[in-house]
Amino acid sequence: MNEECLICKAPLEYLEKDVFMECALCHKNSMTKTRCCNGHYVCDTCHTKGLDAIMGLCLEETTKNPIDIIEKMMAMPFCHMHGPEHHVMVGAALLTAYKNAGGHISLDSALLQIFNRGKTVPGGSCGFWGACGAGISSGMFMSIILGATPLENESFALAHKMTAKSLDKIGEIGGPRCCKRDSFLSILAAIDFVKQHIGVEMEKPIVVCHHAQKNNQCIGSRCPFSQAGTRK
């Protein structure tokens, strides 16, 4: 088995009902449906410890390629194969590439917003909410660059359409979970969406996954980023 539980590496299990558990790292209690087969629970705050390191990376980046940016994030020590860190990383990579491609935003402020919003989407939302946090992160990205609020018209609509585009791509492939696959799908959907609706063109590379060997639930050739083929 590859990495599952951050404490003992055992496989995770998902409970029928929420239970009150103590985090094995910070010892704070919270409700969860997720623990490992040996009973360990790690809260989202502990799971994403070190995520702040991407702020410096984003502010120093000059590329217009959000896939390249998120791959650098995925290679950082804090990032696990799966986890709620991806709910911030997708939006942060898009904001950075969008800025570098000519998008008119204050990147410092935008990154703070994606951190604050993305961290509120819990781990397991893909299965428990029917809305993957990576896909939601692309909608947050759109909301931030447009300055959307609940009272807006067009920006409100575009943010929802962006999330829907990403979730549709994720739904087409289906499960089980893969935070890498869903992050790539969401970013590629956002690149096309932004070009069409905003007129800012980020770089869109061919994506080939190099994380499969770490994923116990890899779907192999069914994944559009499998090394057996390339995504057009």
Side-chain angles (χ1 to χ4, degrees), residues 8 20 34 51 74 86-88 101 109 130 148 154 162-163 172 177 183 193 207 209-210 214 219 232:
C8 68
F20 206 57
T34 308
L51 177 62
M74 290 174 178
H86 297 81
H87 305 169
V88 173
S109 173
E154 183 178 4
M162 179 70 264
T163 304
E172 284 180 5
R177 62 161 187 182
S183 294
F193 193 85
V207 181
C209 178
H210 301 286
K214 297 182 291 184
I219 61 175
K232 296 182 180 179

Side-chain angles (χ1 to χ4, degrees), residues 61-69 93 96-102 191 201-205:
E61 272 294 341
T62 59
T63 182
K64 303 173 185 177
N65 182 343
I67 293 292
D68 183 56
I69 296 170
T96 304
Y98 176 79
K99 171 68 173 180
N100 294 338
I191 292 171
E201 188 168 356
M202 294 176 276
E203 293 180 10
K204 185 181 182 182

Side-chain angles (χ1 to χ4, degrees), residues 48-68:
T48 58
K49 186 176 181 180
L51 177 62
D52 291 353
I54 71 171
M55 181 74 77
L57 183 153
C58 290
L59 293 174
E60 293 176 0
E61 272 294 341
T62 59
T63 182
K64 303 173 185 177
N65 182 343
I67 293 292
D68 183 56

Side-chain angles (χ1 to χ4, degrees), residues 3-5 10-19 21 32-42 44 47 81-84 122-129 176-179 215-217:
E3 175 191 294
E4 291 284 348
C5 175
L12 300 183
E13 61 180 3
Y14 296 96
L15 310 175
E16 292 184 4
K17 298 180 179 180
D18 289 321
V19 296
M21 292 193 68
T32 182
K33 292 173 69 73
T34 308
R35 67 186 181 193
C36 84
C37 295
N38 292 326
H40 297 125
Y41 160 65
V42 176
D44 284 354
H47 202 291
M81 180 62 219
H82 307 290
S125 59
C126 51
F128 299 137
W129 288 10
R177 62 161 187 182
C178 178
C179 290
N215 185 6
N216 295 319
Q217 292 85 38

Side-chain angles (χ1 to χ4, degrees), residues 137-231:
S137 190
S138 71
M140 292 177 182
F141 153 74
M142 182 61 58
S143 172
I144 290 168
I145 66 172
L146 296 177
T149 75
L151 300 179
E152 299 295 331
N153 186 357
E154 183 178 4
S155 60
F156 179 98
L158 286 175
H160 280 76
K161 289 179 179 180
M162 179 70 264
T163 304
K165 288 285 186 182
S166 294
L167 295 183
D168 185 57
K169 294 295 184 182
I170 292 168
E172 284 180 5
I173 305 300
R177 62 161 187 182
C178 178
C179 290
K180 306 305 190 228
R181 179 184 71 234
D182 293 352
S183 294
F184 294 149
L185 288 168
S186 299
I187 287 175
L188 292 176
I191 292 171
D192 290 341
F193 193 85
V194 167
K195 180 180 178 181
Q196 177 184 356
H197 294 280
I198 311 298
V200 174
E201 188 168 356
M202 294 176 276
E203 293 180 10
K204 185 181 182 182
I206 293 174
V207 181
V208 179
C209 178
H210 301 286
H211 305 276
Q213 70 280 4
K214 297 182 291 184
N215 185 6
N216 295 319
Q217 292 85 38
C218 179
I219 61 175
S221 60
R222 188 157 63 86
C223 175
F225 312 118
S226 168
Q227 293 193 39
T230 56
R231 182 179 179 84

